[in-house]
Amino acid sequence: MNLAYGLDMQKSFDEFFALQKKMMRGMEVLMDVDDEGSDCTPKELVYEEDKMKLYHYKPLTKNTCKVPTLIVYALVNRQYMMDIQQDKSVIKNLLEQGLDLYIIDWGYPAPEDRYLTMEDYIEGYIHNTVDFICKANKVEKINIMGVCQGGTFSTIYSALHPDKIKNLVTMVAPIDFDTEEGLLFKWGKNLNIDSMVDAYGVIPGDVMNAGFVILKPFQLMLDKYITVLDNLDDSKQMSDFFRMEKWIFDSPGQAGETIRQFVNDLYKENKLVKGELMIGEKQVNLKNINMPLLNIYAEYDHLVPPSASKPLNDHIGSSDKEMVSFPVGHIGMYVSSKSQKEMAGKIAKWIMERSKKS
Amino acid sequence: MNNVMDQFFDMQKNMINVWQEAFLPKTDAKEQKSEKMSKEAPEDTMDFFTKMMDFNSKLFSPFNDGNAFEIFKKMSFGTDVYYNVYKLWEDLNKQAFKPEMKEYTEMYGKWKDEYMNFVKQSVIPYLPKPMQSFVKEPMEIMEMYKGFVEKFYGPWIESSEVLKDYMVQGTYKNPIAYLDFMKLWEDNYSKSFGKILNSPTMGFNKEYYEKQQESMDTFVKYMTLLGEFSANIFSVAQKTMEDILDNYMEMQKSGNQPKTFKEFYEYWSKENENAYLKLFNTEDFSKLFSELVDSSMVFKMRYDGLIEEYLKFMPIPTKSEMNSLYKTVYDLKKQVKDARKELKDLKEEIANLSDVIKASK
């Protein structure tokens, strides 16, 4: 071993040249890299209101669940993370297990959407969507599955309209904001969201993204791009990487009045679990949630730490409630092989069993 | 086209191969080949590299005890030299040159007072009565002006030495001193120029001037906070690099150090990430970060307001005007949706009622 400054120079040079070769081969790979393939599971546009679109996925099994399930995604990223690519698609997995799925695409808010409130999203868009699905399927109740911020919205909706929801599934959903874990929760308490909303109206997606990447600056701004060099000559890996990269930075802006209330009432004052949250003129009482609940969280989530998701089970009125976790991070919940099959299988089985009950 | 690209890639590959040939140890076959090529060539390029490193270590050992990390340490603390030279000149200046600013000010004040007394006592009384006020009044105005200037620049003059010292310290010795510089600078600013920028204006262009001054003031405040924020970030970077080098030396003693460039990068990156997470998790940083974001937003709003003022006479809608329109559209849309829903409910109610009536018949 030839050590210089404690470094094995021969091994280092071996790595260096291997990397150079990879980069050369990578140039050819990058010329043909394919970042398409997201949001490809067949679906149909069945309802739209303003910029919101509701899609119905084509069933992949003969006998689908009689109670349809509505997926409500967060406003901060696009919903196709659930269908990022065919071999890692949560949606496809759920359809193969027999669920009848609908998904909301919130679209991209434009300057005229700055005045949209949480009430507009929950009592307007979600409520109208639920009504539409009930009518289209001739059912009184549907299942709702809320992801991240969509999980918070779904929880609030279920508390306001328990008569419309058969089963509630929340995934990595922030509920109890009074936690010291997770920088978003720490910084959110001091952030003056009012000046941000007043300055921007609709807060641009790029501003939101800058806030997200600074949470792990070296990992997300440097490491990620250094590590990708190791896979530069692997076209499959590079396609996967670019698909994710495209999704991460495909960030819609945030309707000002909605994010104002979300930060002030939830991040700062934790009103949801205190029973003080007002949606329009209605007070949200989590005890009204009397339907079965499946609460799923990621054990290494740096955006929505477990301590923010887990307390939901303690605050609701249901007797049938379950909590499941996976040893992954926030994004890993949808794309990691660890959680993929296992999680979809668990959700589908749980929903199917409870959807049979009258 | 393909041929050209293939040729390009082949050329790149060949270049890498040449590099590899040059640096990696030779296999027997390659060794024979290279012997044929040049009998004077070193047996192994790695041996050559090692010999070169040994030679360098011996050559520079009088300066660094043969320890590479000592050089890094000396480099990182080397900037102290600049600060010490500054202090040396500063002290020398104080010792060697008289009068100093304080003494000079006293001396000037004394001379000025005596001169004024002379004018008052020995010149003014001998002037014709109507002429006396032409000399007396400007003297009083001058006194008042001097008083104002002293009050306005007072904080800057009083703290100039300290400010200078903080600045040099922050640049060459310790980034934290830059924070003290920024705090003192901001304090002086808010006592002097900040007051002017925030004072009301008058006249035809009142609003325009006020917006201009406000946006300048908010920009200064934003830049001040950005400086404080950057100093925090930089001081962590410096401290972490020092810690990394110290730890690396310790690890090297036990042979547990990262062994390749890649391993070292991974170690460096992880240590930095942890150091920044530690900083980010402090309440002070959280507050500073939100103050920085807030000040940038306040500046944006003031600056946008100023731009709108510039555009007032142009035939284009401004953001504020558009916002007013958006609000109207939003409210109207909401009313339409509510009315439509009400209508739908009423229709359903009527349909249900007519079903009941039909059934009862």
PDB file of all heavy atoms in Angstrom, chain A residues 5-6 8 14-15 24 49-50 114 120 186 190 195 199 218 223, chain B residues 12 24 50 68 257 259 262 265 273 280-281 286 294 319 323 330 337:
ATOM      1  N   TYR A   5      -0.225  11.077   2.808  1.00  0.00           N
ATOM      2  CA  TYR A   5      -1.224  11.779   3.629  1.00  0.00           C
ATOM      3  C   TYR A   5      -2.279  10.798   4.156  1.00  0.00           C
ATOM      4  O   TYR A   5      -3.442  11.136   4.260  1.00  0.00           O
ATOM      5  CB  TYR A   5      -1.905  12.893   2.846  1.00  0.00           C
ATOM      6  CG  TYR A   5      -0.956  13.907   2.275  1.00  0.00           C
ATOM      7  CD1 TYR A   5      -0.871  14.080   0.903  1.00  0.00           C
ATOM      8  CD2 TYR A   5      -0.146  14.665   3.117  1.00  0.00           C
ATOM      9  CE1 TYR A   5       0.023  15.005   0.380  1.00  0.00           C
ATOM     10  CE2 TYR A   5       0.739  15.585   2.600  1.00  0.00           C
ATOM     11  CZ  TYR A   5       0.831  15.753   1.236  1.00  0.00           C
ATOM     12  OH  TYR A   5       1.706  16.658   0.718  1.00  0.00           O
ATOM     13  N   GLY A   6      -1.868   9.564   4.374  1.00  0.00           N
ATOM     14  CA  GLY A   6      -2.814   8.567   4.889  1.00  0.00           C
ATOM     15  C   GLY A   6      -3.706   7.972   3.829  1.00  0.00           C
ATOM     16  O   GLY A   6      -4.546   7.135   4.120  1.00  0.00           O
ATOM     17  N   ASP A   8      -4.389   5.740   0.414  1.00  0.00           N
ATOM     18  CA  ASP A   8      -3.841   4.704  -0.443  1.00  0.00           C
ATOM     19  C   ASP A   8      -3.902   5.224  -1.876  1.00  0.00           C
ATOM     20  O   ASP A   8      -4.962   5.216  -2.510  1.00  0.00           O
ATOM     21  CB  ASP A   8      -4.678   3.427  -0.277  1.00  0.00           C
ATOM     22  CG  ASP A   8      -4.122   2.282  -1.101  1.00  0.00           C
ATOM     23  OD1 ASP A   8      -3.408   2.566  -2.091  1.00  0.00           O
ATOM     24  OD2 ASP A   8      -4.406   1.117  -0.749  1.00  0.00           O
ATOM     25  N   ASP A  14      -7.072   4.082  -8.764  1.00  0.00           N
ATOM     26  CA  ASP A  14      -7.962   3.071  -9.386  1.00  0.00           C
ATOM     27  C   ASP A  14      -9.388   3.607  -9.439  1.00  0.00           C
ATOM     28  O   ASP A  14     -10.053   3.544 -10.464  1.00  0.00           O
ATOM     29  CB  ASP A  14      -7.954   1.772  -8.564  1.00  0.00           C
ATOM     30  CG  ASP A  14      -6.691   0.968  -8.828  1.00  0.00           C
ATOM     31  OD1 ASP A  14      -5.983   1.328  -9.793  1.00  0.00           O
ATOM     32  OD2 ASP A  14      -6.417   0.027  -8.062  1.00  0.00           O
ATOM     33  N   GLU A  15      -9.830   4.140  -8.273  1.00  0.00           N
ATOM     34  CA  GLU A  15     -11.199   4.688  -8.207  1.00  0.00           C
ATOM     35  C   GLU A  15     -11.360   5.853  -9.184  1.00  0.00           C
ATOM     36  O   GLU A  15     -12.356   5.969  -9.873  1.00  0.00           O
ATOM     37  CB  GLU A  15     -11.472   5.215  -6.796  1.00  0.00           C
ATOM     38  CG  GLU A  15     -11.902   4.155  -5.821  1.00  0.00           C
ATOM     39  CD  GLU A  15     -12.154   4.748  -4.432  1.00  0.00           C
ATOM     40  OE1 GLU A  15     -12.052   5.971  -4.250  1.00  0.00           O
ATOM     41  OE2 GLU A  15     -12.460   3.947  -3.538  1.00  0.00           O
ATOM     42  N   MET A  24     -17.065   8.700 -19.066  1.00  0.00           N
ATOM     43  CA  MET A  24     -17.014   8.638 -20.527  1.00  0.00           C
ATOM     44  C   MET A  24     -18.170   7.805 -21.070  1.00  0.00           C
ATOM     45  O   MET A  24     -18.855   8.208 -22.013  1.00  0.00           O
ATOM     46  CB  MET A  24     -15.682   8.024 -20.993  1.00  0.00           C
ATOM     47  CG  MET A  24     -14.473   8.877 -20.703  1.00  0.00           C
ATOM     48  SD  MET A  24     -14.682  10.583 -21.236  1.00  0.00           S
ATOM     49  CE  MET A  24     -14.929  10.393 -22.971  1.00  0.00           C
ATOM     50  N   GLU A  49     -62.698  20.898 -11.833  1.00  0.00           N
ATOM     51  CA  GLU A  49     -63.244  22.132 -11.266  1.00  0.00           C
ATOM     52  C   GLU A  49     -62.084  23.113 -11.109  1.00  0.00           C
ATOM     53  O   GLU A  49     -61.098  22.806 -10.441  1.00  0.00           O
ATOM     54  CB  GLU A  49     -63.855  21.823  -9.890  1.00  0.00           C
ATOM     55  CG  GLU A  49     -64.597  22.985  -9.292  1.00  0.00           C
ATOM     56  CD  GLU A  49     -65.193  22.638  -7.920  1.00  0.00           C
ATOM     57  OE1 GLU A  49     -65.432  21.452  -7.634  1.00  0.00           O
ATOM     58  OE2 GLU A  49     -65.391  23.579  -7.138  1.00  0.00           O
ATOM     59  N   ASP A  50     -62.186  24.256 -11.746  1.00  0.00           N
ATOM     60  CA  ASP A  50     -61.065  25.209 -11.813  1.00  0.00           C
ATOM     61  C   ASP A  50     -59.817  24.466 -12.323  1.00  0.00           C
ATOM     62  O   ASP A  50     -59.872  23.857 -13.358  1.00  0.00           O
ATOM     63  CB  ASP A  50     -60.826  25.887 -10.456  1.00  0.00           C
ATOM     64  CG  ASP A  50     -62.091  26.622  -9.985  1.00  0.00           C
ATOM     65  OD1 ASP A  50     -62.886  27.030 -10.856  1.00  0.00           O
ATOM     66  OD2 ASP A  50     -62.289  26.752  -8.764  1.00  0.00           O
ATOM     67  N   ARG A 114     -54.353  33.044  -5.609  1.00  0.00           N
ATOM     68  CA  ARG A 114     -53.746  33.413  -4.329  1.00  0.00           C
ATOM     69  C   ARG A 114     -54.752  33.472  -3.190  1.00  0.00           C
ATOM     70  O   ARG A 114     -54.393  33.305  -2.030  1.00  0.00           O
ATOM     71  CB  ARG A 114     -52.999  34.745  -4.427  1.00  0.00           C
ATOM     72  CG  ARG A 114     -53.865  35.948  -4.726  1.00  0.00           C
ATOM     73  CD  ARG A 114     -53.054  37.227  -4.712  1.00  0.00           C
ATOM     74  NE  ARG A 114     -52.541  37.508  -3.371  1.00  0.00           N
ATOM     75  CZ  ARG A 114     -51.609  38.413  -3.109  1.00  0.00           C
ATOM     76  NH1 ARG A 114     -51.088  39.116  -4.088  1.00  0.00           N
ATOM     77  NH2 ARG A 114     -51.201  38.634  -1.877  1.00  0.00           N
ATOM     78  N   ASP A 120     -61.625  26.348   0.764  1.00  0.00           N
ATOM     79  CA  ASP A 120     -61.898  26.089  -0.647  1.00  0.00           C
ATOM     80  C   ASP A 120     -61.413  24.698  -1.059  1.00  0.00           C
ATOM     81  O   ASP A 120     -62.068  23.995  -1.815  1.00  0.00           O
ATOM     82  CB  ASP A 120     -61.225  27.151  -1.532  1.00  0.00           C
ATOM     83  CG  ASP A 120     -61.859  28.516  -1.327  1.00  0.00           C
ATOM     84  OD1 ASP A 120     -63.093  28.585  -1.246  1.00  0.00           O
ATOM     85  OD2 ASP A 120     -61.106  29.509  -1.226  1.00  0.00           O
ATOM     86  N   LYS A 186     -39.427  22.994  13.359  1.00  0.00           N
ATOM     87  CA  LYS A 186     -38.679  23.956  14.189  1.00  0.00           C
ATOM     88  C   LYS A 186     -38.713  25.338  13.528  1.00  0.00           C
ATOM     89  O   LYS A 186     -39.058  26.329  14.163  1.00  0.00           O
ATOM     90  CB  LYS A 186     -37.235  23.470  14.330  1.00  0.00           C
ATOM     91  CG  LYS A 186     -36.500  24.120  15.449  1.00  0.00           C
ATOM     92  CD  LYS A 186     -35.205  23.400  15.743  1.00  0.00           C
ATOM     93  CE  LYS A 186     -34.591  23.949  17.001  1.00  0.00           C
ATOM     94  NZ  LYS A 186     -35.118  23.435  18.216  1.00  0.00           N
ATOM     95  N   ASN A 190     -41.021  29.849  13.705  1.00  0.00           N
ATOM     96  CA  ASN A 190     -40.514  31.233  13.663  1.00  0.00           C
ATOM     97  C   ASN A 190     -40.784  31.926  12.329  1.00  0.00           C
ATOM     98  O   ASN A 190     -40.611  33.138  12.217  1.00  0.00           O
ATOM     99  CB  ASN A 190     -38.996  31.238  13.904  1.00  0.00           C
ATOM    100  CG  ASN A 190     -38.649  30.902  15.341  1.00  0.00           C
ATOM    101  OD1 ASN A 190     -39.279  31.398  16.264  1.00  0.00           O
ATOM    102  ND2 ASN A 190     -37.684  30.041  15.541  1.00  0.00           N
ATOM    103  N   SER A 195     -45.550  37.625   5.677  1.00  0.00           N
ATOM    104  CA  SER A 195     -44.798  38.485   4.755  1.00  0.00           C
ATOM    105  C   SER A 195     -44.520  37.740   3.449  1.00  0.00           C
ATOM    106  O   SER A 195     -44.497  38.349   2.380  1.00  0.00           O
ATOM    107  CB  SER A 195     -43.503  38.983   5.408  1.00  0.00           C
ATOM    108  OG  SER A 195     -42.620  37.932   5.646  1.00  0.00           O
ATOM    109  N   ALA A 199     -45.842  39.102  -0.020  1.00  0.00           N
ATOM    110  CA  ALA A 199     -44.862  39.454  -1.053  1.00  0.00           C
ATOM    111  C   ALA A 199     -45.119  38.711  -2.363  1.00  0.00           C
ATOM    112  O   ALA A 199     -44.967  39.273  -3.436  1.00  0.00           O
ATOM    113  CB  ALA A 199     -43.453  39.159  -0.561  1.00  0.00           C
ATOM    114  N   PHE A 218     -25.828  19.254   2.333  1.00  0.00           N
ATOM    115  CA  PHE A 218     -24.784  18.488   1.653  1.00  0.00           C
ATOM    116  C   PHE A 218     -25.362  17.296   0.913  1.00  0.00           C
ATOM    117  O   PHE A 218     -24.978  16.991  -0.202  1.00  0.00           O
ATOM    118  CB  PHE A 218     -23.708  18.041   2.657  1.00  0.00           C
ATOM    119  CG  PHE A 218     -22.719  19.131   2.915  1.00  0.00           C
ATOM    120  CD1 PHE A 218     -23.044  20.183   3.749  1.00  0.00           C
ATOM    121  CD2 PHE A 218     -21.488  19.139   2.296  1.00  0.00           C
ATOM    122  CE1 PHE A 218     -22.158  21.219   3.969  1.00  0.00           C
ATOM    123  CE2 PHE A 218     -20.596  20.174   2.496  1.00  0.00           C
ATOM    124  CZ  PHE A 218     -20.929  21.215   3.346  1.00  0.00           C
ATOM    125  N   ASP A 223     -24.067  15.794  -2.384  1.00  0.00           N
ATOM    126  CA  ASP A 223     -23.884  14.346  -2.340  1.00  0.00           C
ATOM    127  C   ASP A 223     -24.658  13.615  -3.427  1.00  0.00           C
ATOM    128  O   ASP A 223     -24.148  12.696  -4.059  1.00  0.00           O
ATOM    129  CB  ASP A 223     -24.384  13.857  -0.981  1.00  0.00           C
ATOM    130  CG  ASP A 223     -23.322  13.073  -0.273  1.00  0.00           C
ATOM    131  OD1 ASP A 223     -22.164  13.192  -0.667  1.00  0.00           O
ATOM    132  OD2 ASP A 223     -23.676  12.341   0.673  1.00  0.00           O
TER     133      ASP A 223
ATOM    134  N   GLN B  12     -11.372   9.813 -26.572  1.00  0.00           N
ATOM    135  CA  GLN B  12     -11.438  10.032 -25.121  1.00  0.00           C
ATOM    136  C   GLN B  12     -10.972   8.790 -24.369  1.00  0.00           C
ATOM    137  O   GLN B  12     -10.219   8.882 -23.397  1.00  0.00           O
ATOM    138  CB  GLN B  12     -12.878  10.382 -24.695  1.00  0.00           C
ATOM    139  CG  GLN B  12     -13.426  11.637 -25.310  1.00  0.00           C
ATOM    140  CD  GLN B  12     -12.831  12.895 -24.669  1.00  0.00           C
ATOM    141  OE1 GLN B  12     -12.553  12.917 -23.502  1.00  0.00           O
ATOM    142  NE2 GLN B  12     -12.612  13.911 -25.478  1.00  0.00           N
ATOM    143  N   LEU B  24      -0.801   3.644 -13.322  1.00  0.00           N
ATOM    144  CA  LEU B  24      -1.036   2.408 -12.587  1.00  0.00           C
ATOM    145  C   LEU B  24       0.184   1.488 -12.663  1.00  0.00           C
ATOM    146  O   LEU B  24       0.923   1.534 -13.646  1.00  0.00           O
ATOM    147  CB  LEU B  24      -2.270   1.698 -13.132  1.00  0.00           C
ATOM    148  CG  LEU B  24      -3.597   2.374 -12.778  1.00  0.00           C
ATOM    149  CD1 LEU B  24      -4.750   1.582 -13.383  1.00  0.00           C
ATOM    150  CD2 LEU B  24      -3.783   2.459 -11.278  1.00  0.00           C
ATOM    151  N   THR B  50       5.846   7.599  -5.103  1.00  0.00           N
ATOM    152  CA  THR B  50       6.207   7.467  -3.685  1.00  0.00           C
ATOM    153  C   THR B  50       7.570   8.109  -3.423  1.00  0.00           C
ATOM    154  O   THR B  50       7.762   8.811  -2.424  1.00  0.00           O
ATOM    155  CB  THR B  50       6.258   5.980  -3.288  1.00  0.00           C
ATOM    156  OG1 THR B  50       5.101   5.362  -3.795  1.00  0.00           O
ATOM    157  CG2 THR B  50       6.310   5.800  -1.793  1.00  0.00           C
ATOM    158  N   ALA B  68       2.289  16.508   6.932  1.00  0.00           N
ATOM    159  CA  ALA B  68       1.454  17.260   5.984  1.00  0.00           C
ATOM    160  C   ALA B  68       0.360  18.052   6.693  1.00  0.00           C
ATOM    161  O   ALA B  68       0.009  19.148   6.267  1.00  0.00           O
ATOM    162  CB  ALA B  68       0.833  16.302   5.000  1.00  0.00           C
ATOM    163  N   GLN B 257      -8.075   5.866   9.308  1.00  0.00           N
ATOM    164  CA  GLN B 257      -8.482   7.003   8.482  1.00  0.00           C
ATOM    165  C   GLN B 257      -9.085   6.542   7.147  1.00  0.00           C
ATOM    166  O   GLN B 257      -8.835   5.421   6.729  1.00  0.00           O
ATOM    167  CB  GLN B 257      -7.268   7.910   8.210  1.00  0.00           C
ATOM    168  CG  GLN B 257      -6.333   7.460   7.110  1.00  0.00           C
ATOM    169  CD  GLN B 257      -5.347   6.394   7.558  1.00  0.00           C
ATOM    170  OE1 GLN B 257      -5.496   5.739   8.583  1.00  0.00           O
ATOM    171  NE2 GLN B 257      -4.328   6.179   6.747  1.00  0.00           N
ATOM    172  N   LYS B 259      -9.296   5.784   3.429  1.00  0.00           N
ATOM    173  CA  LYS B 259      -8.095   5.354   2.694  1.00  0.00           C
ATOM    174  C   LYS B 259      -8.031   5.861   1.250  1.00  0.00           C
ATOM    175  O   LYS B 259      -6.994   5.763   0.612  1.00  0.00           O
ATOM    176  CB  LYS B 259      -8.020   3.816   2.669  1.00  0.00           C
ATOM    177  CG  LYS B 259      -7.945   3.149   4.031  1.00  0.00           C
ATOM    178  CD  LYS B 259      -6.600   3.381   4.689  1.00  0.00           C
ATOM    179  CE  LYS B 259      -6.365   2.538   5.922  1.00  0.00           C
ATOM    180  NZ  LYS B 259      -7.432   2.476   6.890  1.00  0.00           N
ATOM    181  N   LYS B 262     -12.318   8.955  -2.351  1.00  0.00           N
ATOM    182  CA  LYS B 262     -13.770   8.786  -2.239  1.00  0.00           C
ATOM    183  C   LYS B 262     -14.181   8.662  -0.765  1.00  0.00           C
ATOM    184  O   LYS B 262     -15.119   9.309  -0.309  1.00  0.00           O
ATOM    185  CB  LYS B 262     -14.200   7.545  -3.014  1.00  0.00           C
ATOM    186  CG  LYS B 262     -15.686   7.471  -3.229  1.00  0.00           C
ATOM    187  CD  LYS B 262     -16.065   6.224  -3.983  1.00  0.00           C
ATOM    188  CE  LYS B 262     -17.574   6.081  -3.958  1.00  0.00           C
ATOM    189  NZ  LYS B 262     -18.006   4.742  -4.226  1.00  0.00           N
ATOM    190  N   TYR B 265     -13.912  11.948   0.853  1.00  0.00           N
ATOM    191  CA  TYR B 265     -15.039  12.821   0.493  1.00  0.00           C
ATOM    192  C   TYR B 265     -16.275  12.457   1.335  1.00  0.00           C
ATOM    193  O   TYR B 265     -16.956  13.322   1.873  1.00  0.00           O
ATOM    194  CB  TYR B 265     -15.372  12.713  -1.005  1.00  0.00           C
ATOM    195  CG  TYR B 265     -16.748  13.245  -1.301  1.00  0.00           C
ATOM    196  CD1 TYR B 265     -16.985  14.619  -1.295  1.00  0.00           C
ATOM    197  CD2 TYR B 265     -17.839  12.372  -1.467  1.00  0.00           C
ATOM    198  CE1 TYR B 265     -18.254  15.126  -1.488  1.00  0.00           C
ATOM    199  CE2 TYR B 265     -19.105  12.879  -1.662  1.00  0.00           C
ATOM    200  CZ  TYR B 265     -19.310  14.252  -1.665  1.00  0.00           C
ATOM    201  OH  TYR B 265     -20.586  14.734  -1.833  1.00  0.00           O
ATOM    202  N   GLU B 273     -22.307  17.784   6.971  1.00  0.00           N
ATOM    203  CA  GLU B 273     -23.775  17.691   7.080  1.00  0.00           C
ATOM    204  C   GLU B 273     -24.191  17.708   8.546  1.00  0.00           C
ATOM    205  O   GLU B 273     -25.108  18.440   8.938  1.00  0.00           O
ATOM    206  CB  GLU B 273     -24.260  16.397   6.397  1.00  0.00           C
ATOM    207  CG  GLU B 273     -25.771  16.252   6.323  1.00  0.00           C
ATOM    208  CD  GLU B 273     -26.373  16.948   5.118  1.00  0.00           C
ATOM    209  OE1 GLU B 273     -25.966  18.100   4.847  1.00  0.00           O
ATOM    210  OE2 GLU B 273     -27.224  16.362   4.451  1.00  0.00           O
ATOM    211  N   PHE B 280     -28.396  24.229  12.354  1.00  0.00           N
ATOM    212  CA  PHE B 280     -29.782  24.483  11.925  1.00  0.00           C
ATOM    213  C   PHE B 280     -30.787  24.187  13.035  1.00  0.00           C
ATOM    214  O   PHE B 280     -31.866  24.755  13.071  1.00  0.00           O
ATOM    215  CB  PHE B 280     -30.136  23.619  10.702  1.00  0.00           C
ATOM    216  CG  PHE B 280     -29.402  24.018   9.442  1.00  0.00           C
ATOM    217  CD1 PHE B 280     -29.476  23.242   8.297  1.00  0.00           C
ATOM    218  CD2 PHE B 280     -28.646  25.172   9.403  1.00  0.00           C
ATOM    219  CE1 PHE B 280     -28.812  23.618   7.145  1.00  0.00           C
ATOM    220  CE2 PHE B 280     -27.968  25.554   8.252  1.00  0.00           C
ATOM    221  CZ  PHE B 280     -28.056  24.765   7.121  1.00  0.00           C
ATOM    222  N   ASN B 281     -30.416  23.257  13.909  1.00  0.00           N
ATOM    223  CA  ASN B 281     -31.354  22.872  14.963  1.00  0.00           C
ATOM    224  C   ASN B 281     -31.364  23.824  16.153  1.00  0.00           C
ATOM    225  O   ASN B 281     -32.173  23.661  17.058  1.00  0.00           O
ATOM    226  CB  ASN B 281     -31.045  21.451  15.449  1.00  0.00           C
ATOM    227  CG  ASN B 281     -31.841  20.429  14.651  1.00  0.00           C
ATOM    228  OD1 ASN B 281     -33.078  20.448  14.666  1.00  0.00           O
ATOM    229  ND2 ASN B 281     -31.154  19.569  13.914  1.00  0.00           N
ATOM    230  N   SER B 286     -32.635  29.286  13.867  1.00  0.00           N
ATOM    231  CA  SER B 286     -34.018  29.287  13.374  1.00  0.00           C
ATOM    232  C   SER B 286     -34.559  30.717  13.321  1.00  0.00           C
ATOM    233  O   SER B 286     -35.185  31.134  12.343  1.00  0.00           O
ATOM    234  CB  SER B 286     -34.862  28.402  14.292  1.00  0.00           C
ATOM    235  OG  SER B 286     -36.209  28.500  13.948  1.00  0.00           O
ATOM    236  N   ASP B 294     -37.728  36.986   6.284  1.00  0.00           N
ATOM    237  CA  ASP B 294     -38.682  38.077   6.466  1.00  0.00           C
ATOM    238  C   ASP B 294     -38.140  39.380   5.882  1.00  0.00           C
ATOM    239  O   ASP B 294     -38.848  40.095   5.160  1.00  0.00           O
ATOM    240  CB  ASP B 294     -38.976  38.241   7.966  1.00  0.00           C
ATOM    241  CG  ASP B 294     -40.147  39.175   8.204  1.00  0.00           C
ATOM    242  OD1 ASP B 294     -41.119  39.089   7.440  1.00  0.00           O
ATOM    243  OD2 ASP B 294     -40.073  40.009   9.116  1.00  0.00           O
ATOM    244  N   LYS B 319     -49.232  44.821 -10.395  1.00  0.00           N
ATOM    245  CA  LYS B 319     -49.580  43.639  -9.607  1.00  0.00           C
ATOM    246  C   LYS B 319     -50.716  43.972  -8.630  1.00  0.00           C
ATOM    247  O   LYS B 319     -51.638  43.162  -8.464  1.00  0.00           O
ATOM    248  CB  LYS B 319     -48.345  43.149  -8.858  1.00  0.00           C
ATOM    249  CG  LYS B 319     -48.498  41.756  -8.315  1.00  0.00           C
ATOM    250  CD  LYS B 319     -47.237  41.338  -7.590  1.00  0.00           C
ATOM    251  CE  LYS B 319     -47.459  40.059  -6.821  1.00  0.00           C
ATOM    252  NZ  LYS B 319     -46.390  39.779  -5.872  1.00  0.00           N
ATOM    253  N   ASN B 323     -54.180  42.113  -8.430  1.00  0.00           N
ATOM    254  CA  ASN B 323     -54.651  41.450  -7.212  1.00  0.00           C
ATOM    255  C   ASN B 323     -56.076  41.856  -6.873  1.00  0.00           C
ATOM    256  O   ASN B 323     -56.882  41.030  -6.440  1.00  0.00           O
ATOM    257  CB  ASN B 323     -53.736  41.793  -6.030  1.00  0.00           C
ATOM    258  CG  ASN B 323     -52.458  40.985  -6.067  1.00  0.00           C
ATOM    259  OD1 ASN B 323     -52.385  39.969  -6.769  1.00  0.00           O
ATOM    260  ND2 ASN B 323     -51.445  41.438  -5.360  1.00  0.00           N
ATOM    261  N   TYR B 330     -62.359  36.005  -7.618  1.00  0.00           N
ATOM    262  CA  TYR B 330     -62.460  34.945  -6.615  1.00  0.00           C
ATOM    263  C   TYR B 330     -63.804  35.010  -5.890  1.00  0.00           C
ATOM    264  O   TYR B 330     -64.501  33.997  -5.748  1.00  0.00           O
ATOM    265  CB  TYR B 330     -61.304  35.072  -5.625  1.00  0.00           C
ATOM    266  CG  TYR B 330     -61.441  34.205  -4.396  1.00  0.00           C
ATOM    267  CD1 TYR B 330     -61.143  32.845  -4.438  1.00  0.00           C
ATOM    268  CD2 TYR B 330     -61.887  34.744  -3.185  1.00  0.00           C
ATOM    269  CE1 TYR B 330     -61.288  32.048  -3.321  1.00  0.00           C
ATOM    270  CE2 TYR B 330     -62.023  33.965  -2.060  1.00  0.00           C
ATOM    271  CZ  TYR B 330     -61.724  32.612  -2.132  1.00  0.00           C
ATOM    272  OH  TYR B 330     -61.870  31.821  -1.019  1.00  0.00           O
ATOM    273  N   LYS B 337     -70.578  29.585  -7.519  1.00  0.00           N
ATOM    274  CA  LYS B 337     -70.564  28.181  -7.085  1.00  0.00           C
ATOM    275  C   LYS B 337     -71.647  27.932  -6.042  1.00  0.00           C
ATOM    276  O   LYS B 337     -72.361  26.915  -6.096  1.00  0.00           O
ATOM    277  CB  LYS B 337     -69.197  27.820  -6.510  1.00  0.00           C
ATOM    278  CG  LYS B 337     -68.164  27.494  -7.570  1.00  0.00           C
ATOM    279  CD  LYS B 337     -66.872  27.044  -6.898  1.00  0.00           C
ATOM    280  CE  LYS B 337     -65.813  26.784  -7.952  1.00  0.00           C
ATOM    281  NZ  LYS B 337     -64.563  26.316  -7.389  1.00  0.00           N
TER     282      LYS B 337
END
